[in-house]
């Protein structure tokens, strides 16, 4: 039986995703229970902390995407001029 490498890679990725899903759902339940048990001020602090921790990765991705688009356009202009 000859299985294509693409199909094999998809199968392995799906198997790994299914294997780690219980850990993700347990973490969400624990965080949700913990957050509900805190007072309102602490819940607001948790929400702010999530946004603060989310800002650097989003900024890095936006910068990287902008840099890639700028580089791609410059490369296309250079290829068209040749």
């Amino acid at each position: 039986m000859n299985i294509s490498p693409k199909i094999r890679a998809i199968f392995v990725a799906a198997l790994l995703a299914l294997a780690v899903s219980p850990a993700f759902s347990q973490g969400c339940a624990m965080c949700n229970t913990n957050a509900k048990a805190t007072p309102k001020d602490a819940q607001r602090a948790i929400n702010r902390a999530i946004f603060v921790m989310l800002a650097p990765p989003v900024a890095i991705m936006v910068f990287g995407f902008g840099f890639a688009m700028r580089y791609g356009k410059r490369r296309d202009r250079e290829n068209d001029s040749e």
Side-chain angles (χ1 to χ4, degrees):
M1 186 160 109
N2 192 5
I3 299 175
S4 152
K6 287 182 182 180
I7 294 175
R8 187 177 301 158
I10 291 171
F11 178 73
V12 169
L15 186 63
L16 287 173
L18 290 174
V20 298
S21 65
F24 284 126
S25 62
Q26 180 184 8
C28 290
M30 288 171 34
C31 288
N32 189 16
T33 304
N34 188 23
K36 282 185 180 178
T38 60
K40 291 290 181 187
D41 290 338
Q43 289 177 4
R44 280 190 229 111
I46 290 172
N47 285 336
R48 282 190 209 120
I50 290 170
F51 285 119
V52 167
M53 290 189 306
L54 185 65
V58 170
I60 291 169
M61 290 300 295
V62 167
F63 175 75
F65 182 75
F67 183 74
M69 293 299 292
R70 183 175 163 207
Y71 174 76
K73 287 180 183 180
R74 183 184 309 157
R75 186 192 60 207
D76 289 344
R77 277 187 265 142
E78 288 175 0
N79 287 341
D80 287 343
S81 65
E82 291 176 359

